[in-house]
Structures are given as structure tokens and as C-alpha cells.
Amino acid sequence: MNFTLAILGRPNVGKSTLFNRLVGKRLAIVDDTPGVTRDRRAGEASLSDLRFNLFDTAGLEEGAEGTLEDRMRQQTQAALDDSDICIMLYDARQGVTPMDEHFAAWLRRAEKPVVLVANKCESHKAQDGIYEAYGLGLGEPIALSAEHGQGLAELYRALVDTL
Ligand code: GDP
Ligand code: MG
């Protein structure tokens, strides 16, 4: 099966850490489209027997036209448009923030299959933040630790079920 997956979410939730884990040592291709300051990164990823194209993104932010935030938002939108399925990642230790809610609302409107993933779940401090995410309207969150490689089997199952 060949498909494209985009990792979306506000800055600092661990998108690039998850990207690097799924792409492993394979070379990431940099999309250096002129005018895009924080380019999305693309790579060939694998998770168990799944092979797929993966986009890392900088994070959706509101900003006036032409600003860095605006270009980041456009880049994120382009990654979503070019993907078959996406992961919405949030930081379960921090819990659901207004920016996460903003992302979730945007993704609910996008009508793309979304897998909601709670990151940084190696800590017990993440437990409340996992339950909070049920309110986002994107289904049950997968508890993951991108840094420690925990929850990847559950992520695999969620992707297979969603595809
Ligand atoms: P991005 O801005 O969403 O791409 O986030 P990064 O991948 O750059 O990670 C932001 C910070 O979160 C870094 O300090 C990472 O080391 C840290 N981080 C990423 N994944 C985890 C995780 O599973 N657990 C913990 N505790 N920290 C993580
Ligand atoms: Mg990043």
C-alpha cells in the first residue's frame, strides 16, 4: 500500500521527533520551494509492514499575509492537501491548549481522515491530557511517546483501521 501521511499540530508537540522516528536513517528530502521559509520535510517512512510518504510540518499559525506565520500556515495547508491521511499530534503533558482546539476545528472541516495522537505519554503526568482530548471531536487519542518509541503498535493499528 502506498499512501501519504502528514504530521500536523502546533509547534513543539514533537512532530519532527515523530517524523525522524518513522523515517529512521533514510534521507529526508527537503522541499525548497521559493518563498517558503520553513519548508515542509518529506521522507519515506515505515511502520511495521507499512511503507508511506511522510510530511513533517512547521505548525499552523494565524498571521497576516506575507508573514512567517502565514507561510507556515500555507505550507501546513499544502501538506494536508497532498496527503491521504493525517496525524494530529498534541502534547498530552500540557493537555489540550487553545491552539490544539484551533487545529482540531480546522481538521474537522478538512474532511481528511485524522488519527489523533497524544505525544509525550511516557510520563504519568500525561494521563489527564489524554482524557481531555476526547473533547476535540477527533475520536479516541492514541497514546504515544515519539522520543521513547512507545505506542507505535497502537499507531500502526489506528492507521490501518483509518486507511
Ligand atoms: P515540533 O515543533 O512539533 O516538531 O516538536 P519537536 O519534535 O521539535 O519536539 C519539541 C520538543 O519536545 C523537543 O524538546 C523534543 O525532544 C520533545 N519531545 C518530542 N517527543 C517527545 C516525547 O515523546 N516525550 C518527551 N518528554 N519529549 C518529547
Ligand atoms: Mg518540527
Side-chain angles (χ1 to χ4, degrees):
M1 199 183 326
N2 205 1
F3 62 94
T4 300
L5 173 72
I7 306 173
L8 305 168
R10 66 174 180 82
N12 228 34
V13 295
K15 297 181 298 298
S16 297
T17 304
L18 180 59
F19 176 91
N20 288 338
R21 180 164 289 280
L22 294 175
V23 169
K25 287 191 171 47
R26 269 171 258 211
L27 191 69
I29 303 155
V30 174
D31 177 357
D32 56 358
T33 309
V36 180
T37 305
R38 302 228 187 144
D39 305 317
R40 67 179 149 158
R41 289 193 299 153
E44 278 178 40
S46 61
L47 180 59
S48 184
D49 60 350
L50 295 178
R51 302 283 176 273
F52 49 98
N53 306 312
L54 186 65
F55 288 133
D56 186 17
T57 64
L60 178 83
E61 300 202 17
E62 296 293 345
E65 210 176 314
T67 61
L68 173 62
E69 288 72 26
D70 184 49
R71 291 194 297 274
M72 284 165 68
R73 194 192 52 72
Q74 285 181 25
Q75 175 257 68
T76 301
Q77 180 72 57
L80 180 67
D81 292 345
D82 291 348
S83 63
D84 302 304
I85 179 171
C86 67
I87 285 175
M88 175 176 157
L89 197 65
Y90 77 101
D91 180 343
R93 286 187 324 189
Q94 301 252 299
V96 172
T97 68
M99 216 196 286
D100 295 319
E101 283 168 357
H102 177 77
F103 256 96
W106 174 67
L107 284 172
R108 286 196 306 267
R109 287 194 301 269
E111 295 180 353
K112 277 264 155 109
V114 181
V115 175
L116 179 63
V117 177
N119 194 28
K120 312 194 184 183
C121 286
E122 77 279 358
S123 154
H124 289 296
K125 283 182 280 185
Q127 201 57 49
D128 290 347
I130 294 171
Y131 293 123
E132 278 176 25
Y134 284 86
L136 291 174
L138 292 173
E140 190 179 342
I142 306 297
L144 191 91
S145 173
E147 198 158 270
H148 298 266
Q150 296 166 0
L152 292 170
E154 289 74 14
L155 178 60
Y156 170 84
R157 179 52 37 215
L159 290 176
V160 168
D161 288 348
T162 308
L163 280 164

